[in-house]
Amino acid sequence: MRYLELAQLYQKLEKTTMKLIKTRLVADFLKKVPDDHLEFIPYLILGDVFPEWDERELGVGEKLLIKAVAMATGVDAKEIENSVKDTGDLGESIALAVKKRKQRSFFSQPLTIKRVYQTLVKVAETTGEGSQEKKMKYLANLFMDAEPIEAKYIARTVLGTMRTGVAEGLLRDAIALAFHVKVELVERAYMLTSDFGFVAKVAKLEGNEGLARVTIQIGKPIKPMLAQQAANIKEALLEMGGEAEFEIKYDGARVQVHKDGDRIIVYSRRLENVTRAIPEIVEAIKEAVKPEKAIVEGELVAIGENGRPLPFQYVLRRFRRKHNIEEMMKKIPLELNLFDVLYVDGASMIDTKFIDRRKKLEEIVEPNGKIKIAENLITKKVEEAEAFYKKALEMGHEGLMAKRLDAVYEPGNRGKKWLKIKPTMENLDLVIIGAEWGEGRRAHLLGSFILGAYDPETGEFLEVGKVGSGFTDEDLVEFTKMLKPLIIKEEGKRVWVEPKIVIEVTYQEIQKSPKYRSGFALRFPRYVALRDDKGPEDADTIERIAQLYELQERMKGKV
Ligand SMILES: Nc1ncnc2c1ncn2[C@@H]1O[C@H](COP(=O)(O)OP(=O)(O)OP(=O)(O)O)[C@@H](O)[C@H]1O
């Protein structure tokens, strides 16, 4: 299949903002795709090459990409760079360079999707000494044979800036539409495997029955079950039907551990493979988790010198570290508190009641210095749970989780089977959708940031406010560096950026607002942390803000 067809799809997607039209376009395209392409085409449609949990990365920045284009076209790298000022988009500039290409090689062949994909895989798998040069040559080879429009979208794929507005929800709907299968079944299969390539293939070849048979697999991360916030212990107990398991809510980073014999993979909250960053935990898991094959979940916590938990940012620092990991192990010791088990020796446990999963967890895990089982209390009594809550806070933890004893595990769902109880209103994780240049001494830095909440229905990020406080000078330098390449549009002092970066903010209150399309505005938002453990689609949704608004009103009522 020609890559040109995919490039034309991208172009059509870019031209419309209508979700239904986009879904139809993607569905029609999927119908035409040969079976053996289905495993990877959904990722290309999303603007990626691999699923988020795949460790491989292209490792190609703008400079190298421009060099590759220059090599393929004979157009000077400086000229390509300069033309970005006119086009406002490197993809466009690269398309222009390809248009100017002096001549095509005699052996020039039209690009196929497979060739582009396989080349990108090769680029990602080329590492070590001299790899930059090799990556560049592979890419140059593609650009030599590319039409201008193809070059534009290859460039965007390489840089991860596709801008076609196709998010997971849309792809899910398109798969259902293309292969006449139920959306709920596509969703379910995706929540269980996090693999759209696999899901698309099953949808096409095995239909609804095949999708219904899909179950979790070791090595493919499962979307985590999530919680809502309760106003207090009493409300939580009531919601749980009078009795619940309360557990300490550790303030760290959630991980999902897949054990297959000696092979351990650890996935982060956003399902990135973080195994390499935490070797001591990997070793400790091998000892502590008894079954040959298992999937368990827990909260990874950084421990301070006094034995008390450190804020979750410390764990994220461990995740980010690629070198001198040994040194980091000493600086930031970790502890894993396991709280769930999803798979044991060949059998999925997600349809097992929570209470039985917890029993299983206690059976299969032999705690050691680094691996523990989350401290719990099963009770019907408000006072008992409140005492436990108090103790958890005194120990420096975030609060408690309440879990419904008879609840099955619901991948990817933020329902009421799990509730969190903590003393403060929930911080929000929002996406930066725009920013404003600072004043005076800070005129070269972006100084305040427009926050968007995710709307899973349309894939849009709707404005809920602007945050300018809580940043250090270093933070602003860092954010300016991160956001500059994501700028889509400039309007005076204001820029609009690709919605990629998630930050956590506190705020004094959520207010109803007619000013914003989202319907809500944050009063006095303040920056807390960069959440690079979350992707834009993991950010808080409009619906969640509406729920928090209700919760806030209930909490106020109590005071
Ligand atoms: N005992 C526990 N059981 C379940 N989750 C726990 C526990 N202790 C800590 N956690 C953490 O609390 C989170 C549950 O809250 P929530 O569903 O809101 O997740 P979140 O969106 O990642 O929010 P947060 O910012 O609070 O981590 C889990 O994802 C996990 O990271």
Side-chain angles (χ1 to χ4, degrees):
M1 194 173 183
R2 293 271 315 258
Y3 185 73
L4 188 62
E5 290 186 60
L6 182 57
Q8 284 163 343
L9 170 71
Y10 291 134
Q11 194 175 41
K12 287 186 207 146
L13 288 168
E14 216 181 327
K15 284 201 177 126
T16 174
T17 52
M18 305 279 289
K19 196 186 161 208
L20 278 178
I21 298 180
K22 284 186 201 267
T23 311
R24 166 65 63 193
L25 284 168
V26 174
D28 288 344
F29 185 82
L30 285 173
K31 277 192 219 164
K32 290 188 292 187
V33 166
D35 294 353
D36 68 338
H37 283 43
L38 269 176
E39 271 158 37
F40 56 86
I41 280 200
Y43 294 108
L44 293 178
I45 292 177
L46 285 171
D48 300 323
V49 183
F50 307 112
E52 59 207 333
W53 41 271
D54 196 308
E55 265 195 301
R56 288 171 294 181
E57 278 176 15
L58 294 175
V60 176
E62 288 191 6
K63 279 236 144 50
L64 195 69
L65 183 65
I66 293 174
K67 252 171 116 179
V69 177
M71 184 176 177
T73 60
V75 179
D76 195 59
K78 267 272 156 314
E79 189 183 328
I80 301 174
E81 261 170 49
N82 286 338
S83 97
V84 177
K85 289 192 194 100
D86 302 324
T87 61
D89 169 34
L90 184 54
E92 276 311 333
S93 295
I94 286 177
L96 280 178
V98 165
K99 220 183 244 165
K100 283 193 199 154
R101 178 176 40 206
K102 309 280 175 317
Q103 64 191 53
R104 257 174 203 253
S105 109
F106 180 68
F107 303 102
S108 183
Q109 294 260 356
L111 287 181
T112 62
I113 298 180
K114 205 163 200 168
R115 175 167 159 214
V116 173
Y117 172 72
Q118 284 170 343
T119 306
L120 295 178
V121 170
K122 258 199 318 207
V123 168
E125 289 175 354
T126 304
T127 53
E129 210 176 308
S131 61
Q132 291 297 87
E133 191 67 21
K134 281 188 208 143
K135 283 175 197 267
M136 187 188 68
K137 283 194 183 138
Y138 291 140
L139 290 172
N141 249 317
L142 286 184
F143 288 116
M144 258 179 231
D145 291 341
E147 300 290 333
I149 171 184
E150 294 177 318
K152 169 175 165 182
Y153 292 108
I154 292 172
R156 285 195 181 172
T157 306
V158 168
L159 296 174
T161 54
M162 190 45 87
R163 302 183 190 173
T164 46
V166 179
E168 291 181 356
L170 197 145
L171 183 59
R172 172 201 63 202
D173 293 354
I175 291 173
L177 191 64
F179 306 125
H180 309 290
V181 289
K182 291 190 183 148
V183 175
E184 306 82 65
L185 289 177
V186 177
E187 171 79 359
R188 177 186 165 278
Y190 179 61
M191 290 296 143
L192 291 171
T193 59
S194 310
D195 186 351
F196 267 128
F198 169 76
V199 172
K201 204 163 175 181
V202 174
K204 177 170 181 192
L205 303 180
E206 300 172 50
N208 283 327
E209 291 76 38
L211 287 172
R213 275 195 304 269
V214 168
T215 180
I216 57 183
Q217 299 163 27
I218 291 224
K220 284 189 184 169
I222 300 138
K223 297 273 179 192
M225 178 166 176
L226 299 167
Q228 289 185 25
Q229 191 176 351
N232 50 49
I233 296 278
K234 203 168 154 197
E235 186 183 289
L237 258 178
L238 211 64
E239 184 64 50
M240 300 273 143
E243 186 178 25
E245 162 151 330
F246 290 89
E247 286 172 13
I248 290 186
K249 185 176 195 307
Y250 300 91
D251 187 18
R254 181 171 188 163
V255 291
Q256 192 178 99
V257 178
H258 290 230
K259 177 182 184 223
D260 189 356
D262 259 355
R263 211 173 127 235
I264 307 278
I265 310 177
V266 183
Y267 294 107
S268 71
R269 160 84 165 70
R270 71 184 284 192
L271 309 184
E272 283 175 342
N273 186 330
V274 293
T275 316
R276 280 173 213 270
I278 49 170
E280 81 277 35
I281 293 293
V282 169
E283 283 314 306
I285 288 166
K286 284 185 196 162
E287 274 174 34
V289 179
K290 294 293 157 206
E292 187 60 18
K293 290 177 199 262
I295 302 176
V296 290
E297 267 194 322
E299 189 84 350
L300 200 55
V301 185
I303 305 294
E305 273 170 10
N306 52 10
R308 284 169 74 87
L310 293 169
F312 75 88
Q313 287 92 332
Y314 284 83
V315 187
L316 300 189
R317 274 175 57 198
R318 284 285 315 258
F319 283 174
R320 267 179 235 138
R321 182 57 79 98
K322 299 241 157 70
H323 309 285
N324 297 337
I325 290 171
E326 297 274 316
E327 184 193 318
M328 260 327 232
M329 273 163 54
K330 283 192 212 111
K331 262 199 203 149
I332 307 180
L334 299 175
E335 194 179 281
L336 175 58
N337 296 280
L338 293 173
F339 55 70
D340 218 323
V341 51
L342 310 186
Y343 181 97
V344 175
D345 280 339
S348 162
M349 294 210 60
I350 62 168
D351 294 322
T352 305
K353 287 180 192 166
F354 172 71
I355 180 93
D356 297 324
R357 296 204 308 277
R358 170 81 197 195
K359 271 189 210 135
K360 189 69 167 185
L361 183 70
E362 288 171 14
E363 243 172 71
I364 64 163
V365 175
E366 208 165 279
N368 56 35
K370 295 197 167 58
I371 311 291
K372 303 192 166 152
I373 297 180
E375 223 180 299
N376 71 336
L377 169 78
I378 298 178
T379 184
K380 291 181 180 158
K381 296 200 178 107
V382 177
E383 315 79 66
E384 266 183 31
E386 270 171 355
F388 186 42
Y389 182 40
K390 203 166 151 240
K391 181 179 132 193
L393 294 177
E394 278 166 9
M395 285 163 76
H397 300 297
E398 214 186 331
L400 292 184
M401 295 289 299
K403 297 184 179 175
R404 214 188 153 97
L405 299 179
D406 60 2
V408 299
Y409 191 93
E410 294 172 0
N413 191 27
R414 191 184 288 286
K416 290 192 166 158
K417 311 283 172 55
W418 285 12
L419 293 170
K420 49 189 163 188
I421 304 113
K422 46 192 211 175
T424 50
M425 277 288 290
E426 191 67 11
N427 288 351
L428 284 171
D429 298 326
L430 297 168
V431 179
I432 299 181
I433 56 175
E436 275 172 22
W437 294 105
E439 309 266 345
R441 176 174 77 84
R442 286 181 170 175
H444 63 294
L445 293 177
L446 292 168
S448 72
F449 304 90
I450 303 166
L451 301 170
Y454 184 49
D455 180 354
E457 282 312 304
T458 60
E460 282 181 291
F461 295 88
L462 301 179
E463 187 166 348
V464 291
K466 206 163 77 176
V467 61
S469 63
F471 297 95
T472 62
D473 281 0
E474 292 87 77
D475 287 337
L476 294 182
V477 171
E478 193 62 23
F479 276 98
T480 306
K481 226 196 276 168
M482 274 190 295
L483 289 168
K484 255 184 153 173
L486 302 178
I487 293 177
I488 307 168
K489 206 166 62 181
E490 305 223 17
E491 285 169 0
K493 281 175 78 81
R494 183 170 274 206
V495 300
W496 295 99
V497 298
E498 246 188 67
K500 281 255 154 109
I501 294 181
V502 182
I503 60 172
E504 180 174 336
V505 297
T506 60
Y507 49 89
Q508 207 175 59
E509 204 184 11
I510 300 173
Q511 298 174 316
K512 288 228 161 140
S513 160
K515 183 174 135 204
Y516 294 135
R517 204 148 52 92
S518 66
F520 294 100
L522 300 183
R523 197 171 137 81
F524 301 133
R526 189 182 169 80
Y527 170 74
V528 178
L530 172 67
R531 293 300 302 256
D532 50 4
D533 59 327
K534 289 192 173 184
E537 285 156 21
D538 304 313
D540 284 318
T541 57
I542 293 294
E543 193 194 341
R544 179 117 191 267
I545 294 183
Q547 279 165 4
L548 285 173
Y549 176 80
E550 298 293 321
L551 174 72
Q552 163 190 298
E553 297 306 296
R554 291 205 306 280
M555 280 170 122
K556 267 193 209 161
K558 215 193 143 245
V559 180

